[in-house]
């Protein structure tokens, strides 16, 4: 059995959230089909500046797409956005917000919860001394809940992770960011079904690669990647979830931009879809990319249940 000791972190591309020790916890019902790795129509947009990305949000919505992985990162002196989109089911509703101050983000989240949405992705980027927050919220009439907490110290996160595991939840989004000179942690959990999960942090680049390869051979797919720094050293945190019988998976990391796009095109030709992307700074603003791809059975729309015939329900394939 592979065992890795947990340790600290700091995020970059898929950076984390919040300042000091502000905490937020939330939980509601909604759908979690983003995390089943099924085959579905999807698109990737990356390297977009704010104005172009906002226009693209409108365009993609009109074609029935929704964001399942939203990323913000610095490329030189410019903040760029990237997103993985999937085709919405008829019952999907979703929200996306970015560029918020912490108080604004808190209010947006509270309002979303009141409307029946739950957070499924959180992001932050920095301009000077200011942190800017963003996120994705999802509402669907299949029972699904998430719990989000941020502003956690290393010890707080470790304790929270153990508590959530005991309650039967699994991590679906892990973010790290710097606030007041210290690494701060954010995370979103969803109830775990029959799948097996693994999560390790504090991994060097070399260990990240070897652990990912080992777990792939053991039947796990890489579901969440976070690149960050600890004491000036590039470090990774990653989550894995067990593959379904019909699924295949692959990953690659430490790629330059052209290498990443070539790899993604190759994986698409083989029937895989990108399920997670991460960009991290290796110094002087130079970026490297990591990605995880999955091929599997198609997601299908289920028949409405007898007690609620007017609502669309979807299910994940067995």
């Amino acid at each position: 059995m592979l065992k890795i000791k947990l340790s600290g972190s700091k995020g970059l591309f898929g950076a984390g959230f919040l300042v000091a020790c502000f905490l937020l916890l939330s939980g509601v019902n909604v759908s979690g089909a983003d995390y089943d790795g099924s085959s579905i129509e999807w698109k990737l947009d990356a390297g977009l500046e704010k104005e172009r990305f906002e226009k693209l949000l409108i365009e993609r919505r009109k074609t029935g797409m929704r964001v399942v992985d939203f990323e913000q990162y610095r490329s030189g002196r410019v903040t760029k956005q990237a997103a993985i989109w999937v085709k919405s089911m008829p019952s999907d509703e979703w929200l996306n917000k970015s560029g918020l101050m912490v108080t604004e983000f808190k209010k947006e989240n509270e309002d979303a919860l009141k409307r029946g949405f739950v957070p499924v992705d959180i992001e932050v980027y920095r301009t000077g001394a200011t942190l800017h927050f963003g996120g994705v919220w999802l509402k669907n009439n299949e029972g699904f809940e998430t719990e989000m907490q941020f502003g956690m110290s290393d010890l707080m996160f470790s304790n929270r992770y153990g508590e959530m595991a005991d309650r039967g939840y699994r991590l679906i989004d892990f973010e790290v960011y710097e606030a007041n000179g210290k690494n701060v942690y954010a995370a979103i959990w969803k109830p775990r079904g029959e799948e097996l999960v693994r999560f390790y942090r504090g991994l060097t680049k070399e260990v990240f690669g070897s652990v990912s390869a080992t777990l792939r051979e053991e039947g796990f797919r890489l579901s969440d990647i976070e690149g960050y720094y600890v004491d000036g050293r590039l470090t990774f945190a990653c989550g894995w979830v067990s593959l379904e019988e019909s699924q295949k998976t692959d990953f690659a990391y430490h790629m330059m931009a052209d290498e990443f796009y070539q790899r993604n095109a190759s994986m698409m030709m083989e029937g895989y879809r990108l399920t997670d992307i991460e960009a991290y700074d290796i110094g002087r603003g130079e970026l490297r990319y990591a990605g995880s791809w999955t091929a599997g059975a198609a997601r299908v729309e289920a028949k409405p249940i007898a007690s609620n015939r007017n609502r669309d329900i979807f299910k994940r394939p067995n």
Side-chain angles (χ1 to χ4, degrees):
M1 176 64 68
L2 181 65
K3 294 184 179 180
I4 304 282
K5 182 180 179 180
L6 298 182
S7 61
S9 46
K10 170 193 167 192
L12 286 168
F13 179 133
F17 264 42
L18 208 47
V19 294
C21 292
F22 176 81
L23 301 178
L24 175 63
L25 189 63
S26 58
V28 189
N29 286 334
V30 92
S31 158
D34 301 331
Y35 310 102
D36 65 6
S38 58
S39 298
I40 188 172
E41 182 183 341
W42 67 279
K43 296 182 183 296
L44 168 68
D45 293 299
L48 302 178
E49 296 184 23
K50 181 177 176 59
E51 183 176 341
R52 176 66 185 113
F53 185 78
E54 290 179 347
K55 290 181 179 178
L56 190 65
L57 278 171
I58 298 173
E59 295 171 8
R60 293 278 186 243
R61 278 185 179 273
K62 289 180 179 178
T63 62
M65 306 292 287
R66 66 180 176 87
V67 173
V68 294
D69 188 23
F70 174 61
E71 308 291 347
Q72 297 180 119
Y73 55 100
R74 298 288 289 179
S75 179
R77 296 184 177 182
V78 180
T79 299
K80 299 292 184 68
Q81 282 82 20
I84 300 175
W85 306 78
V86 298
K87 191 71 173 180
S88 295
M89 302 302 265
S91 46
D92 289 345
E93 294 183 61
W94 63 281
L95 305 171
N96 172 256
K97 299 290 183 179
S98 63
L100 304 176
M101 302 296 287
V102 61
T103 53
E104 295 173 324
F105 176 77
K106 178 183 177 183
K107 185 177 187 305
E108 288 287 350
N109 186 66
E110 290 173 345
D111 290 345
L113 294 176
K114 291 176 182 178
R115 296 168 56 191
F117 292 82
V118 297
V120 292
D121 192 26
I122 56 176
E123 288 298 319
V124 67
Y125 68 91
R126 179 185 295 276
T127 55
T130 304
L131 291 173
H132 303 272
F133 303 91
V136 178
W137 292 261
L138 180 65
K139 180 167 70 172
N140 193 283
N141 50 41
E142 178 186 273
F144 178 68
E145 65 182 65
T146 69
E147 292 197 15
M148 177 172 71
Q149 186 169 356
F150 50 93
M152 293 178 285
S153 67
D154 186 89
L155 179 60
M156 291 169 66
F157 172 74
S158 293
N159 290 338
R160 186 63 175 161
Y161 183 88
E163 174 193 340
M164 296 303 289
D166 287 343
R167 290 175 53 193
Y169 282 70
R170 73 174 176 93
L171 200 63
I172 59 172
D173 192 28
F174 178 70
E175 312 294 336
V176 192
Y177 57 100
E178 184 271 329
N180 299 323
K182 297 182 180 180
N183 290 335
V184 185
Y185 303 83
I188 300 176
W189 288 265
K190 70 180 283 281
R192 185 179 67 245
E194 297 181 356
E195 68 269 27
L196 302 176
V197 296
R198 300 286 186 271
F199 175 75
Y200 303 123
R201 59 190 176 107
L203 307 179
T204 65
K205 177 171 70 72
E206 293 74 20
V207 173
F208 163 50
S210 62
V211 169
S212 296
T214 298
L215 288 175
R216 179 182 58 189
E217 295 302 312
E218 293 181 0
F220 288 82
R221 65 180 176 90
L222 189 57
S223 59
D224 188 40
I225 311 164
E226 175 77 354
Y228 55 97
Y229 280 80
V230 175
D231 298 328
R233 185 187 68 181
L234 178 62
T235 310
F236 292 89
C238 301
W240 291 264
V241 61
S242 56
L243 288 166
E244 296 181 4
E245 186 175 347
S246 60
Q247 293 177 340
K248 299 182 295 182
T249 190
D250 205 351
F251 75 97
Y253 71 107
H254 217 60
M255 296 173 287
M256 293 185 293
D258 59 342
E259 294 176 313
F260 169 76
Y261 287 113
Q262 290 174 15
R263 181 58 178 267
N264 186 56
S266 176
M267 298 305 295
M268 289 174 64
M269 291 179 64
E270 295 180 26
Y272 287 78
R273 76 173 176 96
L274 185 67
T275 53
D276 194 62
I277 181 176
E278 173 75 350
Y280 48 93
D281 193 325
I282 62 171
R284 302 180 299 280
E286 187 177 353
L287 295 175
R288 291 292 183 269
Y289 296 83
S292 178
W293 292 264
T294 303
R299 190 176 60 163
V300 298
E301 191 85 14
K303 294 180 180 180
I305 57 177
S307 60
N308 197 359
R309 295 184 182 278
N310 293 323
R311 300 175 70 188
D312 292 317
I313 305 289
F314 69 78
K315 66 180 181 181
R316 294 182 290 274
N318 293 324

